[in-house]
Amino acid sequence: MKKIGIIGAMELEVEELKANMQVTQIIKKAGMEFFEGTLNATPVVIVRCGIGKVNAALCVQILADAFQVTHIINTGVAGSLNAGLDIGDILISKDALHHDMDVSPLGYAPGVVPQMDCSVFPADERLCRLAKDSCEKVNPDIHVLMGRVVSGDQFIAGKEIKDKLIHLFQGDCAEMEGASIAHGSYLNQIPFVIIRAISDKADDSATMDYPSFEKAAAKHCAKLLMDMVEKI
Ligand code: ADE
C-alpha cells in the first residue's frame, strides 16, 4: 500500500497540509514531529524537518525506517537561478545535486560525491508528471517549470554565488534541503520529487523579497500537493 512522506523545512511549508489532514498519530523522533494519517483519503506522513541538509537527510532515513514510506515529496520555497522563473512561479525537480560538495583538490568535479555512482539524483518521472498536471489544474495562472534543484547549507543572496550556481551546475533554483532528500531517497530506493515555489531571486534583493513572498509561495505548493497525493 502506498504511504507518502511529505517534508517541508519550515512550519509555514507544512502548516496548511497538516491543517487539512486527518491525524491518526504524532510520533517524535530526532526532534521532529511526524504526523501520520490521511490527506484526501491518501496515507501520508507529514513532517517539518528543520532547515539544512543534515536535518533533511535524517528525516528521510526516519521516514524510510520507521514509517516505510513508498514515495517522498519535498515541498517549500526556493531562490530562482533561472531568468524564466519569477517570484511565485513553481519549479518541479527534474533532478537535484549538492552545490556545496567540493572535492576538487583531489580531482573530482565540483558537486561530485566521491565513490558514489550518482551525484545528480534524478526525480521520479511519474511524480514529476503528476505534480505538473496538478499544478496546471489548481494553479492555472502560475508558471510551472521542470528543472534542476541545487542545494547547500547556505542562503544564496548575491550575484557572484548565483552566477556560479548557474554556470557550474546549471541550477534552476537554489535551496537548502532538496539534494539531501534526493540523495537519501536514492540510497533507500524511494521515488521522490521536489516541488518549490520561488520566493526570491537569490541575488542582492533576496533578503528583502524572501520575507515578503515566502508565505504566499509556500501556499501555492500546498494547494498543488493536496490535489496530487490522491493520484499517486
Ligand atoms: N530558500 C528560499 N530562497 C533561498 C535562497 N535564496 N537560497 C537558499 N535557500 C532559499
Side-chain angles (χ1 to χ4, degrees):
M1 194 183 71
K2 71 180 173 182
K3 192 195 284 185
I4 299 147
I6 301 178
I7 306 172
M10 296 177 294
E11 193 56 31
L12 80 101
E13 293 169 330
V14 289
E15 66 192 0
E16 186 140 338
L17 295 169
K18 288 201 306 205
N20 280 281
M21 78 179 282
Q22 235 80 58
V23 181
T24 51
Q25 58 172 349
I26 303 171
I27 294 174
K28 258 194 167 182
K29 275 182 190 288
M32 303 171 201
E33 283 187 328
F34 294 80
F35 288 68
E36 185 158 25
T38 55
L39 181 66
N40 264 346
T42 308
V44 293
V45 182
I46 301 181
V47 53
R48 173 179 70 86
C49 71
I51 292 168
K53 297 201 305 172
V54 173
N55 286 324
L58 277 168
C59 185
V60 168
Q61 200 56 51
I62 294 169
L63 285 172
D65 291 344
F67 295 94
Q68 286 88 41
V69 298
T70 56
H71 302 76
I72 289 183
I73 304 177
N74 173 217
T75 173
V77 296
S80 173
L81 302 174
N82 180 326
L85 262 181
D86 215 339
I87 290 172
D89 291 349
I90 287 183
L91 180 123
I92 296 167
S93 62
K94 174 172 59 73
D95 53 30
L97 61 81
H98 301 282
H99 69 67
D100 57 357
M101 173 61 71
D102 184 1
V103 193
S104 56
L106 297 184
Y108 294 92
V112 168
V113 186
Q115 303 180 2
M116 266 193 77
D117 58 0
C118 177
S119 297
V120 180
F121 304 100
D124 181 71
E125 283 179 19
R126 180 166 167 268
L127 290 179
C128 290
R129 199 178 58 249
L130 291 176
K132 191 159 186 285
D133 290 349
S134 288
C135 191
E136 284 164 356
K137 180 179 155 203
V138 302
N139 297 317
D141 300 329
I142 291 178
H143 175 220
V144 55
L145 195 99
M146 305 277 300
R148 173 165 294 168
V149 176
V150 299
S151 314
D153 284 322
Q154 197 178 355
F155 187 87
I156 306 301
K159 187 174 171 347
E160 204 176 320
I161 175 76
K162 176 175 176 174
D163 285 348
K164 180 181 150 195
L165 300 189
I166 296 169
H167 294 116
L168 214 46
F169 302 112
Q170 292 78 50
D172 292 298
C173 78
E175 40 78 296
M176 301 175 69
E177 297 83 21
S180 280
I181 290 167
H183 189 152
S185 299
Y186 174 80
L187 291 176
N188 285 282
Q189 298 179 302
I190 301 171
F192 77 92
V193 66
I194 303 160
I195 303 167
R196 295 273 176 166
I198 301 301
S199 56
D200 59 81
K201 298 214 174 150
D203 57 13
D204 298 344
S205 58
T207 50
M208 293 279 285
D209 287 339
Y210 178 80
S212 318
F213 294 110
E214 61 168 354
K215 208 171 169 107
K219 275 197 168 200
H220 294 161
C221 286
K223 206 168 151 194
L224 183 170
L225 264 172
M226 279 188 266
D227 184 74
M228 176 184 172
V229 283
E230 64 181 343
K231 299 183 176 130
I232 293 172

